[in-house]
Amino acid sequence: MTPSVDEQTAAQKLFSPARLGAVELENRLVMAPLTRIRADEDGVPTEAMVSYYAQRASLGMIVTEGTFPVGEGRTWIGQPGIETDAQIAGWRRVADAVHAAGGTIVMQIMHGGRIGHRLVSTTGRVTAPSALAAPGQIRTPEGKDEHPVPHALTTEEVAETVAQFAAAARRAIAAGMDGVQVHGANGYLLHEFTAPSTNTRTDQYGGSPENRARLSVEVAAAVAEAIGADRTGIRLSPQHNIQGALEEDADDALTTYRALAEGLAPLGLAHVDVLHAEPAGELVQTIRRTSGAPLIANTGFSVQTTREEAVSLVAEDVAEAVGVGRSAIANPDLARRWELDAAENAPVPETFYVGGERGYTDYPTLEATAETGQN
Ligand SMILES: Cc1cc2nc3c(=O)[nH]c(=O)nc-3n(C[C@H](O)[C@H](O)[C@H](O)COP(=O)(O)O)c2cc1C
């Protein structure tokens, strides 16, 4: 069926350039941060990672997988870091390859907090706002184990965490990244401070919505100070209710994220990336309006992002750009496929978190599919 003129105009906006702070995007499709567990056991990016990210350079901006700022914040073996010289050198190869292919790339800096294990943390310690274990189990080099009861960071140690994020951001820029995205989402360290179920602190980082939002704001401010606000973004997932980081009281969530966005507002960040099922709703639009930062919308895990949804989010000015996860895993040339409204490869979840090239760098492009006649 030939698309109507209205549909064509709506789609054009998704494929038009945008600026997120200092980063110039050729189109408004952002590769969402996606953990793939293909670094080596020292957290050094591998050659397969260089190919994988370079293959996806036609998306307007790539956000890397969650990358640990310090080994104590490592959640999985095979996760990359940005702490050592070898890790910086590995990421330099990734950034250079993406730039050579005409793309842009920012690094998601992720401290795992209580989603960790003493056999994975390089200090043997797992930290969090409060000494509360996450539900469920975690993969360790010796098989699955219960999540540990974490060490509750002291107020002084919280200040060290802020400095660790800033130092990691400087190293990301030294590795050639176009910017950094602070991971404040999905039940990891910063989100554990924001969510009331994971934070029972009584110092200035616990209790009131402003206090719970404080660490994310301080980290964003320190990173912005270190590398420039126009290269700094943050990811949030209000009411995602994952990994025991629960925000089930809607009024409290709105107040907390408004406080967080008010704290971000004076910084002038490059983007806020919000994972939420209703990007047009009050919560997400309050964050957007209050922070004043361009919004990358991602509708979350329950349904895979579609072309149609991405087109309408941008055409209807719900967001400046759209984060795409699983379709970007399965389609190295997703921008082209969506521009042509062509068929997509389906992602293979069994290969998401295992090592190797299968299900990583071997998804075919449209041309390769046409040649083999497969889809
Ligand atoms: C394999 C996989 C790994 C992910 N890793 C991360 C991550 O490292 N950091 C993060 O913020 N979100 C992560 N996510 C969430 C995605 O960024 C995204 O929000 C989610 O996949 C929903 O978008 P989609 O429907 O377009 O896939 C991950 C999702 C998947 C499927």
Side-chain angles (χ1 to χ4, degrees), residues 32-36 64-67 76 108 110 181 183 185-186 188 235 273 275 298-306 309 323-329 352-353:
L34 293 156
T35 290
R36 304 301 311 276
T64 72
E65 60 209 277
T67 301
W76 305 282
Q108 185 182 62
M110 163 181 157
Q181 179 182 83
H183 196 347
N186 297 354
Y188 299 106
R235 186 169 229 218
D273 176 355
L275 188 161
N298 179 264
T299 49
F301 286 85
S302 57
V303 186
Q304 193 175 316
T305 307
T306 61
E309 187 177 38
V324 188
R326 285 160 290 185
S327 287
I329 288 179
F352 281 175
Y353 303 112

Side-chain angles (χ1 to χ4, degrees), residues 15 27 29 58-59 332-342 365-367:
F15 303 103
N27 57 61
L29 290 169
S58 59
L59 292 159
D333 54 348
L334 186 71
R336 177 136 188 279
R337 285 180 192 252
W338 278 9
E339 196 160 9
L340 298 174
D341 203 3
T365 59
L366 204 50
E367 278 77 21

